[in-house]
Amino acid sequence: MNIKPSAAIRKNYNEISALCKTTKEPVFLTKNGEGDLVVMDIATFSRRESMLRLREQLVAVEEDRLTGKKGFSIGEVDEMMKKAIKEAADEQRG
């Protein structure tokens, strides 16, 4: 975990930016000894957001399964994918 005083962002922006990019970890900034902000590079932020969205989707699917909502079998999904691919290919041919 990287912890820096908030003044470090003004004085050492490039250093903190490089630290975020090389470690792929957030930097925690403090103000008057207390946690204040978290800084991270865009790629790490985007990756974390994608993971959170995927987890939300997985939780929703699991909740549906636990409440008895009907899903699709592997065979049904396979057929839907084949149909979608064929339709997309047909549209491209025009």
Side-chain angles (χ1 to χ4, degrees):
M1 180 183 300
N2 297 305
I3 302 173
K4 304 278 186 188
S6 61
I9 196 80
R10 288 187 299 270
K11 295 176 184 175
N12 303 316
Y13 177 88
N14 290 335
E15 177 187 322
I16 291 175
S17 176
L19 181 63
C20 289
K21 290 174 183 172
T22 57
T23 64
K24 306 288 189 236
E25 293 290 326
V27 173
F28 297 86
L29 300 176
T30 63
K31 183 175 181 181
N32 300 323
E34 299 288 326
D36 188 44
L37 296 172
V38 177
V39 179
M40 67 177 66
D41 69 290
I42 296 287
T44 301
F45 176 78
S46 296
R47 192 169 39 258
R48 286 179 184 231
E49 288 296 305
S50 293
M51 286 177 22
L52 287 173
R53 280 191 298 276
L54 176 59
R55 286 181 183 169
E56 288 173 1
Q57 291 170 348
L58 291 173
V59 166
V61 168
E62 181 64 6
E63 287 173 348
D64 287 347
R65 185 189 70 78
L66 292 173
T67 59
K69 188 173 181 181
K70 184 187 177 321
F72 298 98
S73 71
I74 293 174
E76 291 170 324
V77 171
D78 185 52
E79 287 301 315
M80 287 187 288
M81 293 301 295
K82 286 178 182 175
K83 181 180 176 185
I85 291 168
K86 183 181 181 315
E87 288 173 0
D90 290 346
E91 285 179 17
Q92 280 187 333
R93 287 189 206 114

